Amino acid sequence: MYTLNPTEIKAYLKRIGMDEIKPPTLEFLSELQAAHVAYLAWQTVDIFAGRPAGIHLRESVELMLNGRSGYCFHLNGAFSVLLHSLGYTVRWHRAGVQPHGEQPRVNSFHLGLSVLLPGSDNPDEQWIVDVGLGGMPFQPLPLRYGTYGQAPFTYNLLPSSVAAEGWRLEYEPNGPSLGVDYAPDPVSQLDEFIPKHEFYSQSIQSPWHNTFLLRQRDAQRSHELRGCMLRIHDAEGIRKMEIRTFNEWISTLTDVFHEPLVRYSKMEREEMWKQVQTAHEDWKRTQQS
């Protein structure tokens, strides 16, 4: 894993609304994770546009520094570099997401992270950090089994049933998936994840093929934008709003998801909106039939 220089660290922190470099404590780790989750949405924008970014660490960091984002491999990959550069001990793990209606798995279709806190009272204790799933915890969790968070965003950490000595993190109720299982042994290279990314980003069998999707969390609520439908989940429940105009769509992307589509020209943004709108109208017709 390479190390960011001071200028790159400051640029990364500025991207997530922070401006102060602090010692690698749990308190600072919590601030970093919360800011990363809030400012850098999980998304399939580049995949939808047919212009997926690679997942090598420098590519992932460049996404963040250039006002962009990505999905799990980019987000957790870049975050691991930032944490390493700030003095944390970071480990990568093979992991797998369990969609609704399917079985738990550890298939390397997710890159998991854990962190050790140097200089703490318990330097060998692992902390689970995951900024790469959109619906995951807003704060680091100790690798101690139990329930964390406050309603409606509660998470269960328990032993994995599919990875010996691994752990499982179950989503908030009404989350986008059921949970994530992690293998305990750290991996030192991203090679195993590259074919998974190629499938996700290029195959017509991918669940993200032709899917325009962003997910973001803050301390009070979670947001999901799927095409033209904005889903908001907070203490009052779940509500959905239909985005009807290009300007409203762009404002939602920018103001809620911090995604101004900087890689795309005005013409490309308008064309993307047309594709999203067409797919949305097709979906509405299927709901009416």
Side-chain angles (χ1 to χ4, degrees):
M1 191 181 302
Y2 79 101
T3 303
L4 302 177
N5 63 44
T7 299
E8 291 170 323
I9 292 174
K10 290 179 181 178
Y12 201 136
L13 292 179
K14 182 178 179 180
R15 175 75 171 93
I16 58 175
M18 302 179 69
D19 56 12
E20 184 179 357
I21 299 174
K22 301 179 183 180
T25 62
L26 176 59
E27 180 182 12
F28 189 39
L29 179 63
S30 298
E31 293 176 16
L32 291 164
Q33 180 166 336
H36 210 285
V37 170
Y39 278 88
L40 297 173
W42 180 102
Q43 59 170 273
T44 64
V45 172
D46 290 340
I47 295 174
F48 179 82
R51 297 161 64 178
I55 64 168
H56 293 290
L57 294 178
R58 289 190 182 275
E59 292 178 273
S60 295
V61 169
E62 285 300 314
L63 284 178
M64 313 308 155
L65 297 186
N66 290 323
R68 298 167 58 198
S69 184
Y71 69 141
C72 70
F73 299 125
H74 306 111
L75 294 165
N76 279 344
F79 193 47
S80 70
V81 174
L82 176 64
L83 294 180
H84 167 75
S85 303
L86 290 168
Y88 293 96
T89 300
V90 185
R91 294 171 173 172
W92 294 327
H93 298 270
R94 297 175 57 246
V97 179
Q98 180 191 4
H100 292 282
E102 299 189 24
Q103 296 300 310
R105 77 284 304 272
V106 173
N107 54 7
S108 300
F109 273 93
H110 183 64
L111 170 65
L113 296 183
S114 67
V115 169
L116 302 179
L117 300 173
S120 69
D121 293 338
N122 188 359
D124 295 325
E125 181 171 39
Q126 286 180 268
W127 289 80
I128 310 308
V129 297
D130 202 315
V131 298
L133 280 165
M136 295 301 277
F138 201 55
Q139 300 288 341
L141 301 181
L143 187 46
R144 300 180 217 141
Y145 300 138
T147 300
Y148 296 89
Q150 295 180 341
F153 302 113
T154 55
Y155 303 86
N156 291 316
L157 187 62
L158 60 157
S160 172
S161 64
V162 293
E165 299 184 12
W167 56 89
R168 173 178 173 81
L169 185 58
E170 293 186 334
Y171 279 78
E172 48 156 305
N174 301 306
S177 299
L178 292 175
V180 187
D181 287 84
Y182 300 81
D185 296 332
V187 296
S188 59
Q189 302 290 332
L190 292 180
D191 296 357
E192 181 173 350
F193 302 97
I194 291 175
K196 313 300 185 181
H197 167 62
E198 290 174 348
F199 171 82
Y200 265 157
S201 61
Q202 300 176 32
S203 172
I204 60 172
Q205 306 299 322
S206 166
W208 314 131
H209 178 67
N210 287 337
T211 301
F212 186 92
L213 180 62
L214 297 94
R215 292 175 176 144
Q216 181 267 358
R217 255 214 69 185
D218 58 36
Q220 285 80 38
R221 62 190 61 82
S222 67
H223 300 96
E224 178 182 283
L225 180 64
R226 186 181 292 267
C228 295
M229 293 300 298
L230 176 64
R231 178 185 187 268
I232 304 169
H233 185 197
D234 57 20
E236 298 178 1
I238 298 172
R239 55 194 182 278
K240 296 181 179 180
M241 301 168 53
E242 183 177 6
I243 307 298
R244 300 181 183 276
T245 68
F246 173 74
N247 287 338
E248 185 183 4
W249 186 67
I250 290 294
S251 294
T252 300
L253 287 170
T254 304
D255 298 340
V256 177
F257 296 94
H258 306 283
E259 175 47 77
L261 300 178
V262 295
R263 187 185 187 189
Y264 301 93
S265 67
K266 186 174 187 298
M267 184 179 297
E268 289 171 330
R269 294 173 200 164
E270 290 173 344
E271 181 59 34
M272 194 182 298
W273 164 248
K274 290 177 183 176
Q275 294 177 32
V276 165
Q277 197 174 34
T278 298
H280 180 67
E281 294 301 321
D282 290 343
W283 172 78
K284 285 205 299 187
R285 281 191 289 270
T286 64
Q287 301 302 301
Q288 295 167 357
S289 61

